[in-house]
mmCIF file of all heavy atoms in Angstrom:
data_model
loop_
_atom_site.group_PDB
_atom_site.id
_atom_site.type_symbol
_atom_site.label_atom_id
_atom_site.label_comp_id
_atom_site.label_asym_id
_atom_site.label_seq_id
_atom_site.Cartn_x
_atom_site.Cartn_y
_atom_site.Cartn_z
ATOM 1 N N GLY B 255 -1.615 -11.959 -20.394
ATOM 2 C CA GLY B 255 -1.098 -11.087 -21.431
ATOM 3 C C GLY B 255 -0.347 -11.933 -22.438
ATOM 4 O O GLY B 255 -0.361 -13.165 -22.373
ATOM 5 N N TYR B 256 0.283 -11.277 -23.368
ATOM 6 C CA TYR B 256 1.053 -12.003 -24.368
ATOM 7 C C TYR B 256 2.160 -11.142 -24.894
ATOM 8 O O TYR B 256 2.148 -9.905 -24.727
ATOM 9 C CB TYR B 256 0.184 -12.478 -25.528
ATOM 10 C CG TYR B 256 -0.561 -11.383 -26.228
ATOM 11 C CD1 TYR B 256 -0.022 -10.740 -27.360
ATOM 12 C CD2 TYR B 256 -1.815 -10.961 -25.803
ATOM 13 C CE1 TYR B 256 -0.717 -9.738 -27.994
ATOM 14 C CE2 TYR B 256 -2.545 -9.963 -26.434
ATOM 15 C CZ TYR B 256 -1.959 -9.336 -27.530
ATOM 16 O OH TYR B 256 -2.656 -8.334 -28.136
ATOM 17 N N LEU B 257 3.128 -11.772 -25.544
ATOM 18 C CA LEU B 257 4.140 -11.019 -26.245
ATOM 19 C C LEU B 257 4.341 -11.622 -27.595
ATOM 20 O O LEU B 257 4.116 -12.815 -27.830
ATOM 21 C CB LEU B 257 5.462 -11.023 -25.435
ATOM 22 C CG LEU B 257 6.120 -12.383 -25.213
ATOM 23 C CD1 LEU B 257 7.157 -12.643 -26.311
ATOM 24 C CD2 LEU B 257 6.789 -12.417 -23.846
ATOM 25 N N LEU B 258 4.790 -10.783 -28.501
ATOM 26 C CA LEU B 258 5.200 -11.194 -29.840
ATOM 27 C C LEU B 258 6.679 -10.921 -29.941
ATOM 28 O O LEU B 258 7.162 -9.828 -29.559
ATOM 29 C CB LEU B 258 4.453 -10.360 -30.913
ATOM 30 C CG LEU B 258 2.940 -10.491 -30.885
ATOM 31 C CD1 LEU B 258 2.299 -9.305 -31.547
ATOM 32 C CD2 LEU B 258 2.519 -11.773 -31.568
ATOM 33 N N ALA B 259 7.423 -11.898 -30.466
ATOM 34 C CA ALA B 259 8.876 -11.713 -30.614
ATOM 35 C C ALA B 259 9.367 -12.733 -31.604
ATOM 36 O O ALA B 259 8.690 -13.687 -31.976
ATOM 37 C CB ALA B 259 9.569 -11.896 -29.259
ATOM 38 N N ASP B 260 10.611 -12.483 -32.041
ATOM 39 C CA ASP B 260 11.330 -13.456 -32.835
ATOM 40 C C ASP B 260 11.310 -14.818 -32.116
ATOM 41 O O ASP B 260 11.413 -14.860 -30.874
ATOM 42 C CB ASP B 260 12.793 -12.905 -32.931
ATOM 43 C CG ASP B 260 13.713 -13.828 -33.663
ATOM 44 O OD1 ASP B 260 14.302 -14.725 -33.023
ATOM 45 O OD2 ASP B 260 13.877 -13.628 -34.875
ATOM 46 N N PRO B 261 11.183 -15.933 -32.836
ATOM 47 C CA PRO B 261 11.066 -17.233 -32.134
ATOM 48 C C PRO B 261 12.220 -17.513 -31.163
ATOM 49 O O PRO B 261 11.988 -18.077 -30.092
ATOM 50 C CB PRO B 261 11.060 -18.230 -33.310
ATOM 51 C CG PRO B 261 10.443 -17.484 -34.424
ATOM 52 C CD PRO B 261 10.918 -16.067 -34.279
ATOM 53 N N GLU B 262 13.438 -17.085 -31.498
ATOM 54 C CA GLU B 262 14.544 -17.329 -30.593
ATOM 55 C C GLU B 262 14.375 -16.562 -29.279
ATOM 56 O O GLU B 262 14.688 -17.057 -28.198
ATOM 57 C CB GLU B 262 15.871 -16.920 -31.277
ATOM 58 C CG GLU B 262 17.112 -17.265 -30.475
ATOM 59 C CD GLU B 262 18.408 -16.690 -31.068
ATOM 60 O OE1 GLU B 262 18.418 -16.331 -32.271
ATOM 61 O OE2 GLU B 262 19.396 -16.591 -30.318
ATOM 62 N N VAL B 263 13.835 -15.345 -29.411
ATOM 63 C CA VAL B 263 13.589 -14.528 -28.230
ATOM 64 C C VAL B 263 12.373 -15.085 -27.465
ATOM 65 O O VAL B 263 12.386 -15.168 -26.224
ATOM 66 C CB VAL B 263 13.378 -13.040 -28.660
ATOM 67 C CG1 VAL B 263 13.076 -12.181 -27.442
ATOM 68 C CG2 VAL B 263 14.604 -12.547 -29.414
ATOM 69 N N ALA B 264 11.355 -15.446 -28.201
ATOM 70 C CA ALA B 264 10.139 -16.004 -27.575
ATOM 71 C C ALA B 264 10.506 -17.237 -26.754
ATOM 72 O O ALA B 264 9.965 -17.434 -25.665
ATOM 73 C CB ALA B 264 9.110 -16.360 -28.665
ATOM 74 N N GLU B 265 11.442 -18.031 -27.277
ATOM 75 C CA GLU B 265 11.842 -19.229 -26.531
ATOM 76 C C GLU B 265 12.477 -18.910 -25.168
ATOM 77 O O GLU B 265 12.272 -19.617 -24.191
ATOM 78 C CB GLU B 265 12.854 -20.001 -27.402
ATOM 79 C CG GLU B 265 12.776 -21.494 -27.197
ATOM 80 C CD GLU B 265 13.601 -22.178 -28.317
ATOM 81 O OE1 GLU B 265 13.210 -22.058 -29.496
ATOM 82 O OE2 GLU B 265 14.620 -22.792 -27.959
ATOM 83 N N LYS B 266 13.219 -17.790 -25.132
ATOM 84 C CA LYS B 266 13.776 -17.367 -23.848
ATOM 85 C C LYS B 266 12.676 -16.972 -22.872
ATOM 86 O O LYS B 266 12.764 -17.276 -21.671
ATOM 87 C CB LYS B 266 14.722 -16.138 -24.046
ATOM 88 C CG LYS B 266 16.057 -16.499 -24.621
ATOM 89 C CD LYS B 266 16.984 -17.157 -23.590
ATOM 90 C CE LYS B 266 18.335 -17.411 -24.190
ATOM 91 N NZ LYS B 266 19.099 -18.413 -23.437
ATOM 92 N N PHE B 267 11.681 -16.299 -23.389
ATOM 93 C CA PHE B 267 10.537 -15.946 -22.503
ATOM 94 C C PHE B 267 9.840 -17.208 -21.999
ATOM 95 O O PHE B 267 9.453 -17.283 -20.832
ATOM 96 C CB PHE B 267 9.535 -15.067 -23.243
ATOM 97 C CG PHE B 267 9.893 -13.592 -23.242
ATOM 98 C CD1 PHE B 267 10.605 -13.013 -24.275
ATOM 99 C CD2 PHE B 267 9.505 -12.742 -22.196
ATOM 100 C CE1 PHE B 267 10.953 -11.669 -24.304
ATOM 101 C CE2 PHE B 267 9.818 -11.405 -22.213
ATOM 102 C CZ PHE B 267 10.544 -10.836 -23.236
ATOM 103 N N ALA B 268 9.705 -18.179 -22.874
ATOM 104 C CA ALA B 268 9.064 -19.423 -22.433
ATOM 105 C C ALA B 268 9.898 -20.115 -21.348
ATOM 106 O O ALA B 268 9.337 -20.662 -20.388
ATOM 107 C CB ALA B 268 8.848 -20.377 -23.624
ATOM 108 N N LEU B 269 11.231 -20.095 -21.500
ATOM 109 C CA LEU B 269 12.101 -20.653 -20.439
ATOM 110 C C LEU B 269 11.962 -19.879 -19.162
ATOM 111 O O LEU B 269 12.014 -20.447 -18.061
ATOM 112 C CB LEU B 269 13.539 -20.627 -20.911
ATOM 113 C CG LEU B 269 14.064 -21.839 -21.661
ATOM 114 C CD1 LEU B 269 15.563 -21.599 -21.998
ATOM 115 C CD2 LEU B 269 13.932 -23.118 -20.862
ATOM 116 N N SER B 270 11.823 -18.586 -19.294
ATOM 117 C CA SER B 270 11.604 -17.717 -18.126
ATOM 118 C C SER B 270 10.303 -18.121 -17.430
ATOM 119 O O SER B 270 10.262 -18.283 -16.199
ATOM 120 C CB SER B 270 11.635 -16.268 -18.524
ATOM 121 O OG SER B 270 11.250 -15.424 -17.461
ATOM 122 N N ASN B 271 9.233 -18.296 -18.194
ATOM 123 C CA ASN B 271 7.967 -18.747 -17.632
ATOM 124 C C ASN B 271 8.174 -20.088 -16.904
ATOM 125 O O ASN B 271 7.689 -20.269 -15.775
ATOM 126 C CB ASN B 271 6.922 -18.987 -18.737
ATOM 127 C CG ASN B 271 6.331 -17.686 -19.277
ATOM 128 O OD1 ASN B 271 6.703 -16.597 -18.822
ATOM 129 N ND2 ASN B 271 5.436 -17.797 -20.211
ATOM 130 N N SER B 272 8.830 -21.015 -17.577
ATOM 131 C CA SER B 272 9.023 -22.345 -16.996
ATOM 132 C C SER B 272 9.781 -22.263 -15.699
ATOM 133 O O SER B 272 9.462 -22.949 -14.730
ATOM 134 C CB SER B 272 9.783 -23.204 -18.018
ATOM 135 O OG SER B 272 10.133 -24.431 -17.465
ATOM 136 N N THR B 273 10.751 -21.366 -15.624
ATOM 137 C CA THR B 273 11.548 -21.210 -14.424
ATOM 138 C C THR B 273 10.742 -20.560 -13.303
ATOM 139 O O THR B 273 10.812 -20.931 -12.157
ATOM 140 C CB THR B 273 12.809 -20.354 -14.729
ATOM 141 O OG1 THR B 273 13.570 -21.040 -15.736
ATOM 142 C CG2 THR B 273 13.653 -20.098 -13.495
ATOM 143 N N LEU B 274 9.989 -19.502 -13.687
ATOM 144 C CA LEU B 274 9.302 -18.692 -12.670
ATOM 145 C C LEU B 274 8.006 -19.308 -12.175
ATOM 146 O O LEU B 274 7.824 -19.549 -11.003
ATOM 147 C CB LEU B 274 9.080 -17.270 -13.194
ATOM 148 C CG LEU B 274 10.295 -16.410 -13.504
ATOM 149 C CD1 LEU B 274 9.865 -15.088 -14.074
ATOM 150 C CD2 LEU B 274 11.121 -16.173 -12.214
ATOM 151 N N PHE B 275 7.102 -19.549 -13.119
ATOM 152 C CA PHE B 275 5.745 -19.943 -12.645
ATOM 153 C C PHE B 275 5.143 -21.156 -13.374
ATOM 154 O O PHE B 275 3.962 -21.459 -13.234
ATOM 155 C CB PHE B 275 4.772 -18.739 -12.744
ATOM 156 C CG PHE B 275 4.530 -18.242 -14.125
ATOM 157 C CD1 PHE B 275 3.554 -18.834 -14.932
ATOM 158 C CD2 PHE B 275 5.259 -17.223 -14.648
ATOM 159 C CE1 PHE B 275 3.351 -18.372 -16.225
ATOM 160 C CE2 PHE B 275 5.083 -16.737 -15.946
ATOM 161 C CZ PHE B 275 4.099 -17.338 -16.726
ATOM 162 N N SER B 276 5.985 -21.866 -14.138
ATOM 163 C CA SER B 276 5.603 -23.130 -14.848
ATOM 164 C C SER B 276 4.675 -22.861 -16.028
ATOM 165 O O SER B 276 5.042 -23.103 -17.174
ATOM 166 C CB SER B 276 4.954 -24.124 -13.901
ATOM 167 O OG SER B 276 5.729 -24.359 -12.769
ATOM 168 N N CYS B 277 3.464 -22.388 -15.779
ATOM 169 C CA CYS B 277 2.519 -22.097 -16.862
ATOM 170 C C CYS B 277 1.351 -21.296 -16.240
ATOM 171 O O CYS B 277 1.279 -21.163 -15.028
ATOM 172 C CB CYS B 277 2.003 -23.392 -17.473
ATOM 173 S SG CYS B 277 1.091 -24.457 -16.324
ATOM 174 N N LEU B 278 0.455 -20.831 -17.093
ATOM 175 C CA LEU B 278 -0.731 -20.138 -16.574
ATOM 176 C C LEU B 278 -1.958 -21.097 -16.627
ATOM 177 O O LEU B 278 -1.885 -22.131 -17.294
ATOM 178 C CB LEU B 278 -1.034 -18.892 -17.462
ATOM 179 C CG LEU B 278 -0.076 -17.706 -17.277
ATOM 180 C CD1 LEU B 278 -0.511 -16.541 -18.180
ATOM 181 C CD2 LEU B 278 -0.049 -17.228 -15.817
ATOM 182 N N PRO B 279 -3.040 -20.736 -15.959
ATOM 183 C CA PRO B 279 -4.240 -21.575 -16.013
ATOM 184 C C PRO B 279 -4.738 -21.786 -17.442
ATOM 185 O O PRO B 279 -4.625 -20.857 -18.253
ATOM 186 C CB PRO B 279 -5.298 -20.786 -15.218
ATOM 187 C CG PRO B 279 -4.494 -19.916 -14.311
ATOM 188 C CD PRO B 279 -3.249 -19.567 -15.038
ATOM 189 N N ILE B 280 -5.225 -22.978 -17.744
ATOM 190 C CA ILE B 280 -5.718 -23.268 -19.097
ATOM 191 C C ILE B 280 -7.027 -22.490 -19.348
ATOM 192 O O ILE B 280 -7.261 -21.925 -20.409
ATOM 193 C CB ILE B 280 -6.016 -24.761 -19.261
ATOM 194 C CG1 ILE B 280 -4.738 -25.609 -19.054
ATOM 195 C CG2 ILE B 280 -6.588 -25.050 -20.649
ATOM 196 C CD1 ILE B 280 -4.967 -27.103 -19.174
ATOM 197 N N PHE B 281 -7.914 -22.493 -18.350
ATOM 198 C CA PHE B 281 -9.272 -21.981 -18.598
ATOM 199 C C PHE B 281 -9.298 -20.494 -18.914
ATOM 200 O O PHE B 281 -10.053 -20.077 -19.788
ATOM 201 C CB PHE B 281 -10.240 -22.334 -17.444
ATOM 202 C CG PHE B 281 -9.658 -22.185 -16.047
ATOM 203 C CD1 PHE B 281 -9.790 -20.993 -15.362
ATOM 204 C CD2 PHE B 281 -9.015 -23.227 -15.427
ATOM 205 C CE1 PHE B 281 -9.271 -20.859 -14.077
ATOM 206 C CE2 PHE B 281 -8.513 -23.126 -14.142
ATOM 207 C CZ PHE B 281 -8.650 -21.900 -13.460
#
Side-chain angles (χ1 to χ4, degrees):
Chain B
Y256 56 92
L257 63 94
L258 299 159
D260 177 272
E262 186 187 341
V263 178
E265 213 168 296
K266 283 286 184 198
F267 276 93
L269 270 182
S270 172
N271 285 1
S272 173
T273 300
L274 294 176
F275 63 86
S276 308
C277 62
L278 287 181
I280 300 178
F281 42 91

